[in-house]
């Protein structure tokens, strides 16, 4: 998928061409109160294209490794075929390490960290409703070789069969553009606040400096008198 | 047991009980009595901690009964084991026999340092053996030796100073025409002669010479200071040496004798009476200063140092702060967009009060004015972000950027500080600000996030500085508050004293 140039970033051609927006996410189903204690949930962790879940990532990703919690038998799971997803049963949340092995450079995998979520946010009851947690990440190919570039282009049009995700497909959260905008707004607000704090601290600091100078002079006068 | 053992054990500490009365007999006869060894060996055995040099002789048959229920000290008083009444002297180490008497003989000698020379004879006592040896060396009979007068052995240390002497002709030629310096009294030939005589007589001790000057001077009315004497003497010797060097090319360098050395030194170091006078006057003045003045001066110097130190500290702090703000606020970025370039001015005006190169004073002055800036900033915020972040991005080395393929989120994971504590603080602050440590990693957000983290670092640093300043102020205030109490107490005491004096 080709990422359209965002209005605020500089849209020079080679920069945008080499970016792939991916989503790593997890969907968890509660298996009800009668499920065994160690297998209360069935969850699936996956990597998909951001705009279109059917995008064929295997054109530029050779394989994906999901590194699970150590308590799982055989915690490093390798998925070589698209769609890149892994389904497991479990009872606890942890951080899944997702390793992407790019075709162009399979010796240097790229790591993403996905916080697996099984439970709805605090204060909500456990329900049958699946818990979806998705995060956007951007895979950057800097100065790719021509064949890699061709593969990237091909992936914009190549599509996987529409039933490959099964019943997960309707649960996906789209291209997460709203989240992105929200995050940008948050960062900018935070910068504003930090800047105000810096300014306030600085004024305070200057006031203190003046105060200190006065106190010092006072002390000196007293000493001399 | 050998005859030596009682003596030996006597010499050791802690064996007092081992001494015997029998050893008195030993003292008299010089032979160990048969009784003397038995109690000694018993004592050694009974007092195992005595540290005796020899192990107890276990082979002996006449071992006495074992000691029971009796203190060692008490036991030592019984029988023949009583302590000695007088200290014992080892017989073998007695002083040499009194037969080796030392004889002294009265012998004449002469001291060449005396003006009368050998004619003036002195006598002293000499050890006889020494005299005999000397006589034997000179192969003299005792009678002859008694008559011969020896030379005083320390005469070789009696050195006589030799000064440069001038003839009448030399004086009239070189010295009479010497220019008179300043307002000083001119020297006559008689005076100069006297000076040289005194110099030889008192070995150039000018202080002594000045002291005797009024007695020996041909014109006693005319006072001469030490410096004047020195000046005259050194100048005369110098001009004489110069004159002789002209007539005799190799003069002061031809030999190593003392006089020529003296002349060489005179030629190399001319005497400067003005300087000497000034130097002595200054020294005198310093020595005469009252102690209170010295103390006051010391205090002033100390205060000055204190002030300088404070100033240095302040400057260092100022530089540090400037560096800090420069780090927070980016250098002019290179952005290909006209829009960004246009916004750059706004950035610098709003973001950096006073600008980078501005002095602290102007920064401080304008910082108050920049309080009204926020709406302005908010309007241009997105531009500011992109402009500033581009600069930061270009400046900061990135962990992942050298890789051919990477994910943007990895940049957010790269720590911003070496210190784990600071890193934790940054992360915590990010959480508090509602950003979290991992927002969506698009290019734009990544860069803004980077800048944000840098700014947070600055804020943390500033807060640290602020805290330090507060501590400092508290310390000074405490000192100020405690000082007046002391001051009052002192003045009260003084007042009381004055009162009682009245």
């Amino acid at each position: 998928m080709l990422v359209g140039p965002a209005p605020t970033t500089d849209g020079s051609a080679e920069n945008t061409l080499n970016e792939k927006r991916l989503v790593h996410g997890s969907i968890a189903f509660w298996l009800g109160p009668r499920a065994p204690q160690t297998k209360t949930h069935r969850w699936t962790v996956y990597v998909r294209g951001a705009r279109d879940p059917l995008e064929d990532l295997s054109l530029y990703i050779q394989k994906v490794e999901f590194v699970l919690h150590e308590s799982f038998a055989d915690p490093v799971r390798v998925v070589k075929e698209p769609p890149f997803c892994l389904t497991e049963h479990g009872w606890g949340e942890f951080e899944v390490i997702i390793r992407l092995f790019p075709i162009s450079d399979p010796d240097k995998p790229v790591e993403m960290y996905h916080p697996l979520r099984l439970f709805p946010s605090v204060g909500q009851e456990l329900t049958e409703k699946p818990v979806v947690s998705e995060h956007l990440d951007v895979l950057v190919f800097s100065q790719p070789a021509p064949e890699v570039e061709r593969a990237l282009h091909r992936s914009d049009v190549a599509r996987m069969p529409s039933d490959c995700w099964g019943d997960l497909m309707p649960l996906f959260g789209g291209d997460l553009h709203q989240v992105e905008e929200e995050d940008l707004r948050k960062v900018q607000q935070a910068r504003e606040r930090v800047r105000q704090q810096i300014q306030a601290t600085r004024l305070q600091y200057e006031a203190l400096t003046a105060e200190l100078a006065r106190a010092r002079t006072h002390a000196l006068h007293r000493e001399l008198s | 047991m050998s005859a030596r053992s009682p003596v030996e054990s006597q010499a050791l500490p802690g064996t007092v009980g081992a001494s015997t009365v029998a050893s008195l007999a030993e003292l008299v006869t010089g032979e160990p009595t048969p009784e003397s060894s038995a109690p000694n060996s018993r004592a050694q055995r009974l007092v195992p901690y005595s540290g005796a040099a020899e192990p107890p002789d276990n082979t002996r048959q006449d071992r006495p009964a074992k000691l029971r229920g009796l203190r060692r000290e008490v036991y030592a008083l019984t029988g023949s084991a009583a302590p000695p009444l007088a200290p014992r002297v080892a017989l073998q180490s007695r002083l040499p026999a009194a037969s080796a008497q030392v004889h002294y003989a009265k012998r004449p000698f002469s001291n060449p340092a005396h003006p009368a020379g050998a004619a003036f004879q002195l006598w002293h006592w000499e050890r006889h053996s020494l005299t005999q040896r000397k006589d034997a060396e000179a192969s003299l009979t005792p009678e002859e030796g008694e008559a011969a007068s020896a030379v005083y052995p320390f005469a070789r240390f009696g050195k006589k100073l030799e000064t440069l002497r001038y003839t009448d002709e030399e004086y009239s030629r070189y010295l009479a025409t010497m220019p008179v310096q300043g307002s000083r009294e001119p020297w006559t030939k008689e005076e100069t002669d006297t000076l040289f005589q005194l110099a030889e007589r008192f070995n150039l001790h000018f202080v002594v010479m000045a002291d005797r000057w009024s007695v020996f001077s041909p014109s006693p009315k005319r006072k001469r200071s030490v410096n004047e004497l020195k000046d005259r003497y050194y100048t005369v010797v110098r001009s004489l040496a110069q004159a002789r060097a002209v007539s005799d090319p190799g003069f002061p360098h031809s030999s190593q004798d003392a006089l020529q050395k003296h002349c060489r030194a005179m030629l190399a170091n001319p005497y400067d009476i003005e300087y000497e006078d000034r130097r002595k006057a200054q020294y005198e003045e310093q020595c005469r200063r009252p102690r209170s003045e010295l103390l006051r001066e010391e205090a002033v110097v100390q205060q000055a140092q204190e002030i300088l130190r404070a100033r240095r500290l302040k400057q260092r702090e100022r530089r540090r702060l400037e560096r800090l703000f420069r780090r927070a606020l980016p250098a002019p970025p290179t952005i290909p967009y006209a829009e960004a370039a246009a916004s750059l001015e706004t950035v610098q005006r709003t973001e950096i009060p006073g600008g980078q190169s501005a002095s602290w004073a102007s920064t401080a002055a304008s910082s108050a004015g920049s309080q009204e800036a926020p709406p302005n900033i908010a309007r241009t915020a997105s531009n500011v972000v992109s402009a500033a972040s581009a600069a930061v991005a270009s400046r900061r080395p990135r962990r992942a950027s050298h890789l051919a393929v990477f994910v943007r989120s990895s940049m957010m994971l790269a720590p911003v500080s070496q210190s784990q504590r600071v890193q934790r603080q940054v992360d915590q602050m990010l959480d508090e600000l509602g950003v979290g440590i991992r927002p969506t990693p698009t290019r734009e957000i990544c860069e803004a996030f980077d800048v944000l983290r840098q700014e947070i670092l600055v804020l943390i640093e500033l807060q640290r500085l602020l805290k330090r300043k507060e501590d400092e102020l508290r310390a000074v205030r405490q000192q100020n508050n405690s000082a007046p109490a002391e001051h009052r107490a002192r003045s009260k005491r003084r007042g009381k004293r004055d009162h009682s004096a009245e």
Side-chain angles (χ1 to χ4, degrees):
Chain A
M1 181 183 76
L2 194 143
V3 175
T8 46
T9 54
D10 53 339
S12 59
E14 59 273 2
N15 275 343
T16 46
L17 252 183
N18 302 337
E19 287 193 0
K20 283 288 176 187
R21 290 157 73 96
L22 304 177
V23 168
H24 54 91
S26 61
I27 297 176
F29 299 93
W30 186 46
L31 299 180
R34 271 166 307 187
Q37 248 188 350
T38 53
K39 291 181 179 174
T40 56
H41 287 77
R42 189 185 80 236
W43 48 261
T44 304
V45 59
Y46 55 84
V47 181
R48 65 172 177 88
R51 191 171 289 175
D52 187 353
L54 292 179
E55 181 188 342
D56 191 0
L57 304 185
S58 65
L59 283 170
Y60 50 87
I61 294 174
Q62 190 187 47
K63 60 175 179 179
V64 176
E65 263 182 25
F66 295 95
V67 182
L68 307 182
H69 194 260
E70 290 163 12
S71 53
F72 283 90
D74 191 12
V76 182
R77 310 286 169 85
V78 185
V79 180
K80 290 189 172 170
E81 300 295 326
F84 297 117
C85 64
L86 178 80
T87 304
E88 255 296 351
H89 289 77
W91 56 270
E93 298 182 339
F94 61 93
E95 195 159 72
V96 184
I97 303 172
I98 303 171
R99 256 182 224 139
L100 310 179
F101 290 77
I103 280 187
S104 57
D105 202 357
D107 296 336
K108 289 177 185 160
V110 169
E111 281 189 352
M112 302 190 290
Y113 306 90
H114 179 74
L116 177 67
R117 274 186 63 211
L118 305 184
F119 310 103
S121 42
V122 187
Q124 284 179 357
E125 289 287 306
L126 277 176
T127 54
E128 304 287 342
K129 210 179 148 210
V131 178
V132 182
S133 153
E134 290 196 319
H135 295 276
L136 185 86
D137 208 333
V138 182
L139 192 63
V140 184
F141 294 81
S142 60
Q143 295 161 355
E147 64 267 20
V148 177
E149 209 165 336
R150 266 199 302 281
L152 292 175
H153 273 297
R154 208 137 32 87
S155 74
D156 287 340
V157 283
R159 287 290 172 268
M160 298 187 288
S162 57
D163 59 344
C164 67
W165 287 107
D167 53 357
L168 296 180
M169 188 72 175
L171 299 171
F172 288 151
D175 65 353
L176 302 180
H177 203 71
Q178 281 179 345
V179 179
E180 185 190 330
E181 278 176 358
E182 177 73 7
D183 276 353
L184 181 60
R185 201 175 49 73
K186 275 189 197 160
V187 171
Q188 282 170 356
Q189 275 177 353
R191 280 193 65 191
E192 199 47 54
R193 274 176 61 193
V194 168
R195 193 167 314 183
Q196 279 169 10
Q197 278 184 37
I198 287 180
Q199 202 60 260
T201 316
R202 201 163 147 179
L203 286 177
Q204 213 175 335
Y205 183 85
E206 276 152 24
L208 265 186
T209 309
E211 185 89 355
L212 189 63
R214 260 203 303 284
R216 284 242 167 85
T217 319
H218 191 61
L220 194 65
H221 277 306
R222 187 182 295 281
E223 202 174 301
L224 290 177
S225 64
Chain B
M1 182 167 272
S2 73
R4 271 173 58 243
S5 71
V7 176
E8 250 180 32
S9 62
Q10 179 74 14
L12 286 162
T15 53
V16 183
S19 342
T20 61
V21 174
S23 52
L24 277 180
E26 210 175 295
L27 260 182
V28 176
T29 59
E31 285 288 322
T33 51
E35 305 97 299
S36 72
S37 53
N40 189 36
S41 74
R42 184 179 61 193
Q44 278 180 353
R45 205 177 60 253
L46 290 175
V47 191
Y49 51 81
S50 67
E54 287 177 12
D57 191 1
N58 290 331
T59 56
R60 283 188 69 97
Q61 297 301 312
D62 54 345
R63 205 174 287 166
K66 216 169 178 191
L67 173 70
R68 280 230 172 82
L70 205 61
R71 279 185 174 270
R72 180 171 63 87
E73 290 82 2
V74 178
Y75 180 77
L77 293 172
T78 62
S80 56
L85 299 172
R88 294 176 58 200
V89 178
L91 297 175
Q92 282 78 10
S93 63
R94 263 191 198 156
L95 289 170
S99 60
Q101 276 181 2
V102 183
H103 293 285
Y104 284 88
K106 201 177 182 189
R107 303 293 292 261
F109 74 95
S110 61
N111 190 348
H114 195 274
F120 185 72
Q121 207 170 45
L122 293 161
W123 294 79
H124 67 173
W125 289 96
E126 233 175 38
R127 244 173 117 150
H128 191 68
S129 53
L130 201 67
T131 333
Q132 276 178 335
R133 198 161 62 237
K134 267 204 290 194
D135 285 351
E137 278 169 14
S139 63
L140 292 173
T141 60
E143 291 76 29
E144 279 174 340
E146 239 160 77
S149 175
V151 174
Y152 181 56
F154 296 104
R156 60 202 170 98
F157 297 116
K159 295 280 188 222
K160 193 152 172 57
L161 177 84
E162 194 186 349
T163 60
L164 213 57
R165 284 160 199 269
Y166 50 86
T167 59
D168 287 353
E169 189 214 354
E170 270 179 327
Y171 188 88
S172 55
R173 222 175 124 188
Y174 305 117
L175 306 176
T177 54
M178 253 171 34
V180 179
Q181 292 181 340
S183 60
R184 285 173 209 289
E185 297 267 336
W187 285 72
T188 60
K189 183 162 188 305
E190 289 73 38
E191 271 186 312
T192 314
D193 289 345
T194 314
L195 176 69
F196 272 68
Q197 279 162 17
L198 286 179
E200 272 195 15
R201 183 162 172 184
F202 297 117
N203 287 335
L204 280 182
H205 293 144
F206 283 102
V207 177
V208 182
M209 284 155 63
D211 184 52
R212 310 288 195 278
W213 184 254
S214 57
V215 180
F216 292 99
S217 166
S219 49
K221 293 268 160 53
R222 209 176 280 166
K223 291 252 187 289
R224 298 284 186 195
S225 70
V226 177
N227 276 357
E228 276 175 288
L229 294 188
K230 279 187 181 178
D231 181 44
R232 180 65 182 170
Y233 176 80
Y234 290 138
T235 325
V236 166
V237 171
R238 198 173 138 79
S239 18
L240 274 180
Q242 272 170 344
R244 284 186 199 176
V246 170
S247 57
D248 173 11
F251 161 65
H253 305 284
S254 57
S255 96
Q256 284 295 319
D257 75 346
L259 190 58
Q260 294 217 357
K261 264 189 198 164
H262 187 57
C263 288
R264 279 204 293 276
M266 290 294 107
L267 286 175
N269 311 295
Y271 187 78
D272 185 351
I273 187 170
E274 304 284 338
Y275 173 82
E276 284 296 307
D277 278 346
R278 216 166 41 241
R279 184 177 70 85
K280 283 191 177 169
Q282 280 174 357
Y283 190 63
E284 197 84 351
E285 196 186 341
Q286 287 299 319
C287 287
R288 288 211 178 119
R289 289 175 68 192
R291 190 170 162 69
S292 60
E293 199 178 315
L294 279 180
L295 288 177
R296 198 159 50 230
E297 191 180 283
E298 244 168 54
V300 167
V301 168
Q302 210 166 358
Q303 272 177 2
Q305 275 173 350
E306 198 70 16
I307 290 170
L308 281 179
R309 202 174 59 86
R311 197 175 290 169
R312 264 202 308 278
L313 273 181
K314 215 168 173 181
Q315 270 174 358
R316 201 175 304 156
E317 185 185 294
R318 189 175 301 169
R319 271 201 299 276
R320 187 178 172 162
L321 274 176
E322 276 173 10
R323 229 180 8 247
L324 207 59
F325 289 123
R326 202 171 306 156
R327 202 174 75 186
L329 309 168
T334 49
I335 293 180
Y337 290 113
E339 183 200 352
S343 77
L344 199 60
E345 283 180 20
T346 336
V347 172
Q348 283 185 333
R349 221 175 34 246
T350 54
E351 253 192 329
I352 318 170
Q356 279 182 28
S357 55
S359 71
W360 175 257
S362 74
T363 315
S366 63
S367 61
S370 68
Q371 279 300 82
E372 300 104 64
N376 197 3
I377 290 177
R379 195 155 39 77
T380 56
S382 64
N383 287 332
V384 168
V385 167
S386 59
S389 58
V392 170
S394 65
R395 206 148 30 91
R396 276 191 55 227
R398 291 201 145 155
R399 198 183 57 172
S401 59
H402 65 278
L403 292 174
V405 187
F406 62 97
V407 282
R408 282 215 187 280
S409 59
S410 63
M411 287 178 191
M412 289 181 167
L413 295 173
V416 282
S417 170
Q418 298 289 330
S419 150
Q420 285 196 351
R421 195 176 53 83
V422 175
Q423 183 65 43
R424 264 202 303 279
Q425 268 178 306
V426 171
D427 289 350
Q428 191 189 340
M429 210 174 270
L430 282 172
D431 264 345
E432 282 168 10
L433 289 165
V435 174
I437 56 169
R438 235 181 285 166
T440 310
T442 59
R443 179 198 182 96
E444 199 182 5
I445 295 176
C446 262
E447 285 163 358
F449 185 74
D450 270 347
V451 180
L452 173 65
R453 289 203 298 182
Q454 294 293 324
E455 284 170 349
I456 287 176
L457 275 185
V458 170
L459 180 60
I460 288 172
E461 180 73 12
L462 254 182
Q463 281 171 344
R464 209 169 59 78
L465 284 177
L466 186 70
K467 190 165 172 309
R468 199 196 280 172
K469 200 109 223 178
E470 274 169 359
D471 290 347
E472 219 172 308
L473 183 62
R474 200 172 307 128
V476 171
R477 279 210 177 123
Q478 224 160 31
Q479 207 180 335
N480 270 1
N481 288 342
S482 65
E486 201 179 290
H487 196 68
R488 264 202 305 281
R490 206 165 47 219
S491 62
K492 203 185 278 175
R493 242 181 288 135
R494 200 189 296 138
K496 207 177 278 176
R497 203 163 47 237
D498 290 350
H499 191 70
S500 63
E502 281 174 285

